[in-house]
Amino acid sequence: MSSILEYEPKLVWKHFDEIRKIPRCSKHEEKIREYLLEFAKKQGLKAKTDKAGNVLIEKPASPGMENKPIVVLQGHMDMVCEKNKEVKHDFSKDPIKLKIEGDKLKADGTTLGADDGIGVAIALAILEDKNLKHGPIEALFTVDEETGLTGAFALEPGFLKGRVMLNLDSEDFGVITVGCAGGGDTIITLPVKKHKVEGDMAFLVIRISGLKGGHSGVDIHEQRGNAIKLLSRILWKVKQKCSLLLLDVTGGDKHNAIPREATALVAVKKGDVEELKKTVESEGKDILEEIKPIDPGFKAEVKKADSKNEALDKKSTEDLINLLYALPHGVLAMSFDIPGLVETSTNLAKVRVEGEKASIAMSSR
């Protein structure tokens, strides 16, 4: 197929094709909310919003089914907005570019937004379909799910009438889930000290790219590469052989996304440049050999950088590399009761050096 509009059921894909054109990063759901309210108006359905920005659309029961219990169909408006570094895409205005590979629908260099765009599309298709026979329906669309379930927590008593809810935010067709993982976010702050860079030093960028990334809940069991972990592994190897100072480390962005890219800006003695490059190349080959079955696009590159005046001192450099190298990522425990079910996992999600501290974000489930 060359277009998702050829997919079945057509109503679902019609709405998903419209939704993917609408900016809807977490905490910026204004446009998608307008779309939902306009949809309700065109369909002649009652709609309302609350203080948090959640939207509720009501569809009356089919004739003869008025006494059936109200069913709430719930999805969230926002999406995780992530893109590859080299991709030019403005999530505040640009539509998601689609590509079809075999029987899979993907985005071109960005997140697809099927979480939970497809859930919203399913609910809209049910609201629009005139041929379905059903009891009363309430379609609830919440805001800011991806960064902390803000809309769900802000629901006030009386906004909904229904007491039976189907959450349309899952991964497996034909599967009904009756429970949900708990989770928590952790921010680790490491104080760092900087000093003036002295001596005959070269400045280089070590960059990790080409990884699949993915959702820290859905994809964590696949052992996809984490750019921050792989970068820290390379840095740890380099510092065994070279006099290395860190200037900056950047990787990841969202707490629930497995980092696809990470970079380190480093300073080394000019006499150590070739050794650094050899180490990055050698370790990069080892890493690719290990993760090639799941992440064949992995790359580790070294490029020249502009000179800088300050770098982390030796102890801060050691502490930060060691911490990143030691922090866990991935599946920590599997369920004893349900085969194949991840029970405990953690995502090393983000690292930044800002002023006199390094901040590291972890997301655990």
Side-chain angles (χ1 to χ4, degrees):
M1 291 187 181
S2 59
S3 168
I4 66 170
L5 296 179
E6 300 175 39
Y7 288 5
E8 294 287 348
K10 283 189 168 54
L11 269 181
V12 172
W13 292 104
K14 180 193 81 169
H15 284 295
F16 184 76
D17 192 49
E18 291 301 315
I19 290 166
R20 60 102 182 172
K21 301 172 187 175
I22 302 170
R24 52 193 180 89
C25 294
S26 299
K27 301 185 187 299
H28 298 281
E29 298 93 350
E30 300 84 6
K31 296 294 184 182
I32 185 67
R33 182 162 47 248
E34 290 175 12
Y35 174 78
L36 293 173
L37 294 173
E38 183 62 25
F39 164 85
K41 184 177 179 182
K42 288 179 180 178
Q43 297 297 319
L45 303 174
K46 290 183 180 180
K48 61 181 179 180
T49 60
D50 63 9
K51 294 177 183 177
N54 299 315
V55 174
L56 186 74
I57 301 176
E58 300 177 50
K59 184 179 183 182
S62 302
M65 302 188 74
E66 293 85 356
N67 293 327
K68 298 292 184 181
I70 299 170
V71 174
V72 182
L73 304 176
Q74 188 268 327
H76 61 87
M77 293 181 248
D78 61 317
M79 64 173 281
V80 174
C81 293
E82 285 273 303
K83 69 180 186 70
N84 293 335
K85 192 171 183 180
E86 70 277 5
V87 173
K88 292 183 179 179
H89 185 93
D90 185 346
F91 281 105
S92 69
K93 62 180 182 181
D94 295 339
I96 300 297
K97 294 180 181 178
L98 304 179
K99 60 179 181 179
I100 298 173
E101 295 182 356
D103 62 349
K104 295 187 183 297
L105 176 65
K106 299 181 178 181
D108 190 3
T110 70
T111 40
L112 177 59
D115 177 8
D116 189 29
I118 198 67
V120 173
I122 289 170
L124 293 179
I126 290 171
L127 291 173
E128 183 174 347
D129 196 327
K130 303 296 190 291
N131 297 317
L132 289 177
K133 292 185 178 180
H134 55 81
I137 293 173
E138 292 181 325
L140 173 65
F141 306 100
T142 55
V143 298
D144 197 26
E145 187 268 356
E146 297 291 357
T147 64
L149 303 168
T150 305
F153 281 123
L155 284 173
E156 295 182 350
F159 190 64
L160 298 170
K161 295 191 289 288
R163 291 296 177 266
V164 177
M165 189 183 84
L166 294 176
N167 169 254
L168 306 177
D169 188 13
S170 187
E171 291 78 45
D172 301 309
F173 287 107
V175 174
I176 296 176
T177 303
V178 295
C180 178
D185 295 335
T186 304
I187 302 296
I188 301 169
T189 301
L190 178 71
V192 296
K193 292 182 178 179
K194 298 182 179 181
H195 67 176
K196 186 177 180 181
V197 178
E198 297 178 338
D200 197 15
M201 305 292 281
F203 296 84
L204 303 166
V205 172
I206 303 173
R207 183 177 180 228
I208 304 300
S209 63
L211 298 169
K212 290 181 180 178
H215 193 284
S216 65
V218 180
D219 303 311
I220 199 74
H221 66 290
E222 293 191 1
Q223 301 185 64
R224 298 181 183 185
N226 179 315
I228 298 172
K229 286 299 296 179
L230 298 178
L231 177 62
S232 67
R233 171 174 161 178
I234 288 174
L235 290 172
W236 193 87
K237 287 280 187 177
V238 169
K239 77 182 180 70
Q240 310 306 311
K241 301 179 179 182
C242 305
S243 179
L244 176 77
L245 293 177
L246 284 176
L247 285 80
D248 189 29
V249 182
T250 301
D253 189 29
K254 303 294 189 299
H255 75 105
N256 56 357
I258 300 170
R260 293 183 285 185
E261 298 178 337
T263 59
L265 177 58
V266 304
V268 295
K269 293 179 180 178
K270 288 188 175 179
D272 285 340
V273 170
E274 290 306 313
E275 184 64 38
L276 180 146
K277 289 181 177 179
K278 281 175 24 181
T279 304
V280 172
E281 181 181 4
S282 174
E283 193 65 19
K285 285 181 179 178
D286 289 346
I287 291 170
L288 181 58
E289 187 67 25
E290 294 168 17
I291 68 173
K292 194 172 184 179
I294 190 66
D295 257 318
F298 166 80
K299 291 181 182 179
E301 302 170 293
V302 180
K303 294 183 179 180
K304 290 183 179 180
D306 295 333
S307 299
K308 304 290 182 181
N309 294 323
E310 282 190 333
L312 274 63
D313 64 19
K314 186 175 181 180
K315 183 178 185 304
S316 295
T317 294
E318 289 266 348
D319 288 348
L320 182 52
I321 293 174
N322 290 343
L323 177 58
L324 291 173
Y325 190 45
L327 283 172
H329 169 83
V331 175
L332 302 179
M334 300 295 291
S335 171
F336 290 112
D337 300 314
I338 304 174
L341 177 68
V342 177
E343 185 170 85
T344 309
S345 66
T346 192
N347 179 40
L348 177 50
K350 182 177 178 179
V351 60
R352 297 287 189 274
V353 176
E354 299 162 332
E356 301 299 314
K357 67 178 183 180
S359 296
I360 302 165
M362 307 281 294
S363 181
S364 302
R365 298 171 186 264

